[in-house]
Amino acid sequence: MTDQHGCAFEGCCPRRGDSVRLIDSPMPELARCLTLFQYVQAVTAGPVARIDQAGSYAVPSLRGDAFAVRPGEIALRLDADGVAAAVVARDEGTGSVAVRLLDADGRTVHQGRLLSEGDRLLVGLAGTVATGSPGTERPSPATELAAWENGDQLAQLDAVLTDGGIARRQAFDRYRGEHRPIDVGVIPSVLDHVCSVGLPIGVAVFAPAAMQACVGRVHVTDRTVGGRVFAAIAESSVEIDLAGVRACHLVRSTAAHGPTSALELDDEDGRCVAVITQFGIVGEQVHAAWEHLAASLPDA
């Protein structure tokens, strides 16, 4: 799932023939600018998990803000302190154009490939500066964050967004909600089951400083001999490399319908790479069916 440089995005490192331009726009203005594009292929990925959706952006939310995942919209949540830059990358050979959000190490944490000619023309109007020019760094607005120890579902997601959830996992004995480790091997069966019975789910995939989420019914699932699991969820596709998942935790936290279960998948470094759950307001029967499924999962 990574290229020869260890990047989770194919071609994310500049190559000969690539044109890269830095966008001069601070948060949260930069996040709102993404909604100007009519049709993009949005990807958030790491070495273990990847989510891919074509469509248009909902207004991206920042850590600490309200968050909603609606069918048909690309839902992106960002840690403003962790997104160091945004660039426009044009492949001079193919003409493809992508907007990339980068962390402090220069890694692509989210990419929106522009699929319409109108969007490619629009991005050419964005203000640019030279990399490292004075004034390009602006302090992000301070946000009061809920403590994850006794926080709701969104507090748990934001705790993961800060550092992959490493600090949270290391101190998880302080969590006041219900939680237990479960067998990683049941994840393909969970996806197969919700697909067969038509139970909608929500999935969030994390990269450093970025989270992209989707909701809907699972249309099809697949897996490879090497342990990769695929699921088509509404307008999105999700890929998880189970060989890179070292632990899975079932965590219950307060959400729209009360205590709601989430399956958190961790990599070998203790970073949460993906979450499977119910987001927001769903039908009571959907919530009850999900909780019944979660309660039946075996402990690790």
Side-chain angles (χ1 to χ4, degrees), residues 14-29:
R15 300 167 301 174
R16 182 177 298 177
D18 280 0
S19 171
V20 179
R21 202 157 46 88
L22 183 68
I23 301 175
D24 182 22
S25 184
M27 293 290 185
E29 288 81 3

Side-chain angles (χ1 to χ4, degrees), residues 260-282:
T260 300
S261 297
L263 305 181
E264 300 181 356
L265 309 183
D266 294 352
D267 67 12
E268 62 184 0
D269 296 321
R271 292 182 174 86
C272 180
V273 297
V275 170
I276 305 171
T277 187
Q278 297 291 337
F279 292 117
I281 299 175
V282 299

